[in-house]
Amino acid sequence: MRTLLAAIACGLGAATVSGKVLSPAAQSLFDYSMQVQDLRWDDSYKYIWYSDNGPWSVRFTAWYTAGLLHRNQGNDVNNAKAALENILACQLTENFDSAWYGTFKLSPDQPYPTPDSPLYPPSIYNTYDPNWREFVGSQLVQVVEEFEDLIGADLVGRIEDALEIAAIGAMRRNGSYPTGDNLILGYSNPGIMRALTVGWIGARRENSTFIDFANTQGTQLLELFQDGGENVLGEYNAPTYYGVDTWALAANIKYGPCNATMTTNAGTILTELWKDIADHYNPYLGNMAGPYDRAYTRDMTEHSAILSMYWWGVFGQEYKAGPLPPKGESDFLYDVAQGAALSLIMDVVAAHIDKTTATALQVKGSWEGTRFINKTIHEDLGTSQVRVATSWLSAPLMIGAQQVAETVNRGNQFVPAIVHWASDPSHTPYPYIGFFSLYPTASTISAVAGPNSLVVSYPNTTQAGTGIFTFALSGVAPSWTLGGKHVVNGLEELPCLSVNVTAPGLVKQPVVYGASLRDHLIYNISYAVPPEFEGIPEVKLDIRYTC
């Protein structure tokens, strides 16, 4: 018999957690997630229908298995076992030397990547996603740890086989190899999940290579987090991926081997992470202040971020406190697919949020005063390249900005500067949120937030994208525009907001409405840098809340 104790989380092995009773808050999230997922279940093929990357979603199916096994009613266990068999069948194992070796198909019907033909040429995050080793793999770890007794030794053994294969592929990734890879130490969410999956299967199969790799990662991830005393993740202030980070950290604590460094270090990171979340959280606006390293929604009360589910699952107040969009909102219906699996680790999350932080997270309504946050972000150890994030918050107005000097544009998930305000304070349960954010056309940006101010400049005008400052405006209260009362002509006059724009030498462009940015319809408000401009182009905004 293998040394199973080495693979069992400290005091929380399969025999103790299977069939556990959830808190009322976690149970509420669990029930809603299962209600949504039950409606998507293809009982013939035993996958979740979801047209994300194909007709069915392998990842959504993996998340559903934990819910089925915990609920354990009717055909739930048999369906879960069939789904697990299907997931294992979707692992890409045919090309040992490939970048996708050991990850999982996005949908069972898609072809294998074809490097030697035009059928389905390999393209990272398109035709294959290397992070699904971690998303699916960490879910398989939870299933075994929680429900090993229900699924049986044979299926457990084949899950272990699959995780061994996934570990081999995962360990090759270093940010530059395989070609196109970006998993550096600062890419927090897959990195933390990888430490769990590789370390867990290393302990289960007594593989010292896996164990050593995971322990090195666990040590370095904590070192990076604490670098300079900052206590920040390299993937900083990301409302969606902070939700994944929280899952990964809690899963390490609950399911990781006792002597693994990530098991030990995850608690420290989780507690400090939620302190920083509370510092950025504005309970009146129901949002976290920017800037965001990665964001889909710019307004958590309108569109979902995974982080929102922890307010529900830990505090159980749903619409009474915490940023949560309407339950039928499309992004939330996507994110809540993971809700049942997350519900099973809510006890760990709750235990690592200290009382002061928990109080701050449950507050709602207006508050007095202001606060300022200044953080330096490191993406790797042993490098002097850093980013600086500044955030200024008051109840009705908050401003976030980041200074970044890089050579590759981060894309439209990156929000280097953003202003939120209460566009209509009469709206409930939160004010209707207005925001405008700087679209990241350049890769070197100096954006600094201060009291009622935002200053943005392009220090390196030799780079592409430095010829224009584009602000994406959304959340203009309908009462302000209906009946032709007002028309948006720029940032200067907005509902409940007055902005003094100083942009010396720049040329304001006509305002255009109707483009979509991450589900938000926006006004495009731009300032062009003319060809004859000399010096460093800059836009300074002095911002005053007027309601």
Side-chain angles (χ1 to χ4, degrees):
M1 180 178 177
R2 295 189 307 273
T3 310
L4 184 59
L5 290 178
I8 294 178
C10 303
L12 290 170
T16 59
V17 296
S18 181
K20 63 171 288 187
V21 176
L22 302 180
S23 70
Q27 187 66 52
S28 174
L29 175 60
F30 178 93
D31 290 342
Y32 186 67
S33 175
M34 292 302 288
Q35 177 186 342
V36 172
Q37 288 281 74
D38 285 343
L39 295 172
R40 295 168 169 163
W41 176 244
D42 181 343
D43 197 45
S44 181
Y45 281 177
K46 307 299 183 183
Y47 287 101
I48 288 290
W49 287 103
Y50 194 83
S51 56
D52 180 21
N53 295 284
W56 304 271
S57 172
V58 173
R59 183 170 60 168
F60 279 29
T61 303
W63 290 335
Y64 187 51
T65 59
L68 289 171
L69 291 165
H70 177 78
R71 186 171 62 186
N72 192 5
Q73 297 175 3
N75 291 325
D76 283 349
V77 172
N78 287 336
N79 283 335
K81 292 169 72 172
L84 289 166
E85 298 278 6
N86 284 340
I87 292 163
L88 298 182
C90 288
Q91 190 172 34
L92 300 174
T93 61
E94 84 297 347
N95 187 338
F96 181 81
D97 295 321
S98 68
W100 52 90
Y101 180 75
T103 194
F104 295 82
K105 288 187 175 188
L106 309 181
S107 181
D109 60 315
Q110 73 178 143
Y112 285 78
T114 56
D116 300 321
S117 87
L119 174 65
Y120 204 52
S123 174
I124 190 170
Y125 301 121
N126 294 305
T127 58
Y128 73 95
D129 191 331
N131 291 344
W132 282 38
R133 295 185 187 98
E134 284 70 48
F135 276 108
V136 175
S138 62
Q139 187 55 63
L140 293 175
V141 168
Q142 182 186 57
V143 163
V144 173
E145 284 291 322
E146 295 270 3
F147 309 108
E148 183 170 4
D149 54 334
L150 291 180
I151 64 175
D154 179 70
L155 186 50
V156 167
R158 283 183 291 119
I159 289 173
E160 291 177 356
D161 292 342
L163 289 175
E164 277 194 295
I165 293 168
I168 292 168
M171 291 167 58
R172 294 171 178 166
R173 302 182 67 190
N174 64 8
S176 61
Y177 180 85
T179 302
D181 188 68
N182 64 335
L183 183 45
I184 60 172
L185 198 61
Y187 190 7
S188 308
N189 80 85
I192 299 169
M193 287 191 288
R194 180 174 64 173
L196 170 64
T197 56
V198 174
W200 185 87
I201 192 57
R204 295 283 289 205
R205 292 287 171 90
E206 299 181 340
N207 185 315
S208 61
T209 300
F210 293 174
I211 292 169
D212 291 346
F213 177 89
N215 282 336
T216 298
Q217 291 294 301
T219 298
Q220 291 180 346
L221 283 163
L222 179 64
E223 290 176 359
L224 183 66
F225 182 78
Q226 296 179 329
D227 201 355
E230 293 292 333
N231 286 339
V232 297
L233 293 174
E235 191 176 29
Y236 184 64
N237 206 31
T240 287
Y241 290 101
Y242 269 7
V244 181
D245 294 325
T246 298
W247 151 259
L249 291 165
N252 269 284
I253 295 165
K254 192 167 189 177
Y255 309 129
C258 280
N259 55 354
T261 59
M262 197 69 246
T263 306
T264 303
N265 296 339
T268 298
I269 298 174
L270 186 57
T271 296
E272 294 299 324
L273 173 65
W274 276 86
K275 287 181 182 178
D276 193 58
I277 291 169
D279 286 343
H280 283 84
Y281 180 59
N282 186 330
Y284 178 60
L285 298 181
N287 273 277
M288 292 171 59
Y292 309 127
D293 272 4
R294 296 180 69 190
Y296 298 112
T297 182
R298 274 66 168 161
D299 175 10
M300 295 168 68
T301 68
E302 181 180 2
H303 296 287
S304 178
I306 296 173
L307 199 60
S308 303
M309 286 191 284
Y310 292 93
W311 265 272
W312 184 346
V314 171
F315 303 117
Q317 296 182 352
E318 301 183 30
Y319 293 96
K320 297 179 183 177
L324 195 69
K327 287 183 178 179
E329 190 267 323
S330 60
D331 291 338
F332 185 66
L333 292 176
Y334 183 100
D335 290 341
V336 84
Q338 194 181 6
L342 296 181
S343 298
L344 301 180
I345 50 89
M346 286 297 172
D347 55 338
V348 175
V349 177
H352 286 81
I353 296 176
D354 64 39
K355 290 183 179 180
T356 301
T357 302
T359 299
L361 293 169
Q362 293 178 85
V363 169
K364 188 177 179 182
S366 190
W367 48 281
E368 297 297 323
T370 64
R371 61 179 180 268
F372 182 75
I373 305 165
N374 188 322
K375 290 287 187 178
T376 300
I377 308 153
H378 300 81
E379 285 206 342
D380 218 336
L381 297 171
T383 177
S384 59
Q385 184 171 353
V386 298
R387 293 173 286 120
V388 177
T390 48
S391 307
W392 178 84
L393 293 84
S394 67
L397 171 67
M398 59 187 187
I399 306 165
Q402 188 173 126
Q403 296 167 272
V404 55
E406 296 176 338
T407 58
V408 178
N409 191 299
R410 286 177 168 255
N412 67 16
Q413 291 184 25
F414 180 45
V415 185
I418 188 166
V419 175
H420 291 88
W421 80 98
S423 175
D424 182 357
S426 68
H427 185 272
T428 59
Y430 291 99
Y432 186 64
I433 306 301
F435 72 83
F436 58 85
S437 62
L438 178 71
Y439 190 87
T441 56
S443 51
T444 295
I445 301 168
S446 175
V448 180
N452 295 96
S453 73
L454 172 64
V455 181
V456 183
S457 65
Y458 295 143
N460 184 357
T461 56
T462 65
Q463 291 182 337
T466 56
I468 195 161
F469 295 80
T470 294
F471 296 93
L473 166 69
S474 189
V476 176
S479 59
W480 196 76
T481 58
L482 282 173
K485 286 184 285 189
H486 300 90
V487 176
V488 174
N489 292 311
L491 298 175
E492 290 83 356
E493 184 186 0
L494 297 170
C496 293
L497 200 71
S498 175
V499 181
N500 181 39
V501 181
T502 305
L506 306 190
V507 180
K508 184 178 178 181
Q509 303 299 294
V511 175
V512 178
Y513 176 77
S516 179
L517 176 62
R518 295 290 173 180
D519 293 334
H520 298 281
L521 286 174
I522 63 164
Y523 291 89
N524 180 319
I525 301 171
S526 294
Y527 295 82
V529 183
E532 67 275 11
F533 185 91
E534 295 183 358
I536 297 175
E538 178 183 273
V539 176
K540 181 179 180 182
L541 307 178
D542 294 302
I543 308 163
R544 182 169 59 91
Y545 189 71
T546 58
C547 289

